[in-house]
Amino acid sequence: MKFQGNLGILVLGIKVLSVNPKAALSFMIEKNEEPTDMEYSLWEKSVQEILSATKFGRIGIFLDRKNFLAHQYFQAFDYQKTPYKPKGKRSEKCPRVTVFTFQVLRAMALEGLADTVEFRRLGRRFIRQAKNANCDTIFFPELIFGETKTKKILQHIAGKRIKVYTSDDFFVPIVENGDLGDVSILSKGEDPFFLKKRSEQILHQKLSDNAFMATT
């Protein structure tokens, strides 16, 4: 399977490898902030699934301040036309979706700093907005927040009463029988030592130097 995007796209590799550990995966790592077609499709599916699963219909969507295209997408999304069924008397009759903005967290997550005190402190500060709005569900569309340790930290900060979702929760990998290959990562302008270390952290496996290639 081939993937394209920033370092967060590697999160989808975990999903594929969990189904087929011998899958052939190819990643094109870019610094471009624009969402890919795959991310757009995951966002639409994510919203549909979340509206179906939410307990009270109060959803918070968290986006980096600089992710302007994501802001446009989720602000323009017609949530009222997406199937939603209240689950009890305390549920909203119509879904109440609020887009919250945060700063720095995405950059820290991409750099592998989600397990720092500073990340947790900022995370509590921003997630408090969702708690004050009585959200029962929060969604981080940007893929890097689906990294295993990062998501666990976000869920811990949110607490037991709020369910945290990330886009990779709604990614269904295609399993090809007889697939036997390696992981290859092509990047442009990224420090090779950092890229190797970070890729291994996200994918939870050691990668050979031959797995990495640079492009101009």
Side-chain angles (χ1 to χ4, degrees), residues 4 14 19 27 35 40 45 57-58 64 75 78 82 90 97 115 128 143 149 159-160 170 179 188:
Q4 184 175 355
I14 286 289
V19 177
F27 298 95
Y40 276 126
K45 183 177 180 182
R58 296 187 287 272
D64 186 275
Q75 294 286 6
D78 194 344
T82 304
R90 296 172 56 194
V97 181
D115 57 352
R128 190 178 299 122
L143 282 168
K149 69 174 181 180
K160 295 180 179 180
F170 309 97
D179 194 8
K188 181 178 181 181

Side-chain angles (χ1 to χ4, degrees), residues 81-92:
K81 290 186 177 180
T82 304
Y84 163 74
K85 184 177 180 180
K87 293 182 172 58
K89 294 181 179 180
R90 296 172 56 194
S91 301
E92 301 289 332

Side-chain angles (χ1 to χ4, degrees), residues 2-54:
K2 295 183 178 180
F3 301 93
Q4 184 175 355
N6 63 27
L7 275 168
I9 205 72
L10 291 168
V11 171
L12 299 184
I14 286 289
K15 292 286 187 177
V16 178
L17 293 173
S18 67
V19 177
N20 182 6
K22 296 183 179 180
L25 298 176
S26 176
F27 298 95
M28 177 61 194
I29 305 299
E30 302 176 334
K31 291 185 177 181
N32 193 340
E33 298 293 341
E34 292 188 7
T36 63
D37 291 341
M38 175 175 285
E39 288 179 281
Y40 276 126
S41 65
L42 283 176
W43 289 352
E44 182 176 7
K45 183 177 180 182
S46 298
V47 172
Q48 292 172 347
E49 295 287 342
I50 289 172
L51 284 174
S52 176
T54 177

Side-chain angles (χ1 to χ4, degrees), residues 74-200:
F74 286 102
Q75 294 286 6
F77 197 98
D78 194 344
Y79 301 97
Q80 305 302 324
K81 290 186 177 180
T82 304
Y84 163 74
K85 184 177 180 180
K87 293 182 172 58
K89 294 181 179 180
R90 296 172 56 194
S91 301
E92 301 289 332
K93 293 182 179 179
C94 295
R96 192 182 78 194
V97 181
T98 307
V99 176
F100 299 104
T101 299
F102 60 77
Q103 298 164 282
V104 184
L105 283 181
R106 179 177 63 171
M108 294 183 73
L110 287 169
E111 293 290 321
L113 299 174
D115 57 352
T116 62
V117 173
E118 292 77 10
F119 182 91
R120 287 181 170 87
R121 184 177 295 127
L122 285 171
R124 291 190 188 95
R125 172 184 171 186
F126 294 121
I127 289 178
R128 190 178 299 122
Q129 300 174 86
K131 291 184 176 182
N132 291 339
N134 294 317
C135 292
D136 64 90
T137 305
I138 57 178
F139 175 45
F140 287 83
E142 293 157 313
L143 282 168
I144 191 59
F145 292 108
E147 182 185 6
T148 304
K149 69 174 181 180
T150 304
K151 186 172 180 178
K152 286 182 178 178
I153 290 169
L154 292 172
Q155 183 62 73
H156 179 73
I157 293 172
K160 295 180 179 180
R161 295 184 178 182
I162 298 178
K163 174 63 177 177
V164 175
Y165 288 102
T166 50
S167 289
D168 60 294
D169 288 326
F170 309 97
F171 171 69
V172 179
I174 299 174
V175 180
E176 298 180 3
N177 294 327
D179 194 8
L180 181 62
D182 298 315
V183 175
S184 63
I185 300 176
L186 182 66
S187 67
K188 181 178 181 181
E190 184 60 86
D191 172 49
F193 297 102
F194 170 79
L195 180 62
K196 185 174 189 296
K197 177 183 177 181
R198 196 70 186 96
S199 298
E200 290 178 339

